[in-house]
Amino acid sequence: MSNHHRQPPPKPVIPQRKISETIIDFGAPLLNDLRADTPIEVVRASFNIAITVWNAHVLAMPVWNVPNVLAQLQTLLKTPEAAPELVRVYHKLTARRRKLFASDPRAVGEWNVSMDRKGEVKLRSDARVPPSLIPPAK
């Protein structure tokens, strides 16, 4: 892929929306298949994939400048052991991130997912913000 027509990366903007809501939206192609009777281990594994892809792209942003995480993930996905479905999900999530969330610089820190009594997924997570975007204390 040539870099001739690449647009400069969007300026990082910290959204008001909770990171947990953003991740559920971002991971929709993967997470929409989860049902009330989906085993919690499968739910957690699905979120783990979405959050791993999200964090790899976030850390590659100039404001974090840790591109090796994304590079390692891409290398792993090129190995013969990589499940074709996982590679497809990665590409779908990557396109979604570029289109809808490219300026969001928040990484996901600690997170936990559970199901409520109605079978709805509840994600609790903390957002990590690049130190350069944290306003100085007054």
Side-chain angles (χ1 to χ4, degrees), residues 21 31 37 55-56 58 70 81:
E21 291 171 17
L31 305 174
D37 62 349
N55 279 348
V58 166
L70 182 58
E81 295 81 26

Side-chain angles (χ1 to χ4, degrees), residues 46-116:
S46 299
F47 271 93
N48 195 30
I49 292 165
I51 291 169
T52 298
V53 172
W54 175 272
N55 279 348
H57 283 285
V58 166
L59 292 174
M61 293 174 79
V63 73
W64 284 100
N65 195 27
V66 188
N68 60 322
V69 176
L70 182 58
Q72 287 172 340
L73 180 57
Q74 290 167 335
T75 299
L76 280 172
L77 291 170
K78 288 178 184 147
T79 64
E81 295 81 26
E85 182 56 30
L86 190 57
V87 175
R88 278 194 295 279
V89 164
Y90 168 80
H91 288 297
K92 203 178 272 187
L93 291 176
T94 295
R96 196 164 166 75
R97 165 109 187 136
R98 284 193 185 123
K99 184 176 178 201
L100 302 172
F101 305 99
S103 64
D104 192 335
R106 298 173 300 169
V108 176
E110 296 288 317
W111 64 274
N112 191 332
V113 70
S114 58
M115 293 275 220
D116 69 12

